[in-house]
Amino acid sequence: MKKLTSSLSYVILAVISFISLFPFYMMITMSTYKTEQIFQSMPFLPSDYFGKNIATVFQSNFLQSYGNSLFISVVSMAVCVLVSAMVGYAMLVYDFKFKKALMNFIMLTMMVPTQIGIIGYMIEMRTLHLTGTLWPMILLWFANGFGAFWMIQFINGSMPMEIVESARIDGAGELKIFFGMVFPCIRPGVLTLCLLIFLWSWNSYLVPLVFVNNESLNTIPIFIKSLANAYRTDYGAQLSGLLLATIPLLIMFICGSKSFIKGLTAGAVKG
């Protein structure tokens, strides 16, 4: 009976994996066809048009758009994770006035869609004379409600407060405690948040669509959308661009998959 249950579990996992990976396989396959061939029938086997689709992609400003997206995602990820970790640490270690109100405000920001505040954010960026730059796509992530809430919950569930108390007794400063002792303890949560913020900023479409008014500022989603003209949309080239755009995400997930899974489950049991 145990062997049957184990076999059934593997079968279910195989079916779920197939369903999850099939769209990715179809993206790879369709990126090797002409646009006209894609709509003739459902292609299940690769064709020989992939090189021409890739050439079409690189004839535009793909490398610059790729570099823009990398810069935005890396800076957004680094600052967002650092700020979120500091917020999580401060919320659990220090007692201060309006602490509960601040926690409620953080949770409230998670309930407000980005679309609601986009007009106010645009006015703010125009006032700061940051329109026409990459900074509006970056600053949006510096104070992230989900990141702060994630680190609060993770630190609360995985970091013993005795570490901080012992370090203070030994005369360590707050920055030394945070970077030297707390950060290593919350490494799985930090890496998980790194993956999520990088993914979200890399795939962000609405904010770049609003703020990008110059081809040199294109991000990958805007660039892929631009692979069209007034008479024809080159879906084959767009799919090839999407394939290239997934490479950083795949590399990050492959390198950090163990930490990602550990980060999702580490806070489940305190101690």
Side-chain angles (χ1 to χ4, degrees), residues 65-271:
S65 301
Y66 213 86
N68 289 341
S69 286
L70 277 176
F71 176 75
I72 291 170
S73 298
V74 170
V75 175
S76 300
M77 175 189 71
V79 178
C80 178
V81 170
L82 179 61
V83 171
S84 298
M86 286 183 170
V87 170
Y89 174 75
M91 290 290 288
L92 292 170
V93 172
Y94 302 113
D95 289 322
F96 52 89
K97 196 175 182 180
F98 303 120
K99 180 177 178 179
K100 186 175 181 180
L102 179 59
M103 183 64 187
N104 292 333
F105 176 76
I106 291 173
M107 296 182 67
L108 181 64
T109 60
M110 297 168 58
M111 305 176 190
V112 180
T114 305
Q115 295 86 339
I116 293 179
I118 195 70
I119 296 176
Y121 185 62
M122 183 189 301
I123 296 172
E124 182 181 3
M125 291 296 102
R126 185 178 298 171
T127 303
L128 296 174
H129 305 288
L130 292 176
T131 54
T133 68
L134 295 176
W135 287 107
M137 283 82 82
I138 297 174
L139 293 173
L140 182 69
W141 299 97
F142 279 18
N144 185 265
F146 171 80
F149 179 78
W150 170 266
M151 294 311 305
I152 291 170
Q153 298 301 313
F154 188 88
I155 294 174
N156 184 45
S158 62
M159 191 194 76
M161 294 303 297
E162 290 81 5
I163 294 178
V164 178
E165 295 170 0
S166 300
R168 285 176 174 172
I169 292 173
D170 292 338
E174 292 300 319
L175 287 178
K176 185 176 181 180
I177 295 173
F178 179 73
F179 287 106
M181 307 187 73
V182 175
F183 228 69
C185 291
I186 61 174
R187 182 172 173 269
V190 168
L191 292 178
T192 301
L193 188 59
C194 283
L195 287 171
L196 292 174
I197 298 300
F198 188 93
L199 173 66
W200 293 339
S201 59
W202 181 268
N203 290 333
S204 178
Y205 180 75
L206 176 63
V207 175
L209 181 65
V210 171
F211 285 97
V212 169
N213 53 14
N214 191 320
E215 189 175 322
S216 63
L217 300 177
N218 275 354
T219 59
I220 284 295
I222 302 298
F223 167 79
I224 292 173
K225 180 64 178 177
S226 69
L227 288 173
N229 54 41
Y231 307 102
R232 180 176 181 268
T233 299
D234 195 339
Y235 291 105
Q238 286 185 342
L239 288 166
S240 298
L242 280 172
L243 179 61
L244 295 174
T246 59
I247 292 176
L249 305 180
L250 288 174
I251 292 174
M252 285 198 66
F253 185 78
I254 291 171
C255 295
S257 58
K258 290 184 180 180
S259 297
F260 180 74
I261 296 170
K262 187 177 180 181
L264 292 176
T265 58
V269 179
K270 186 173 182 177

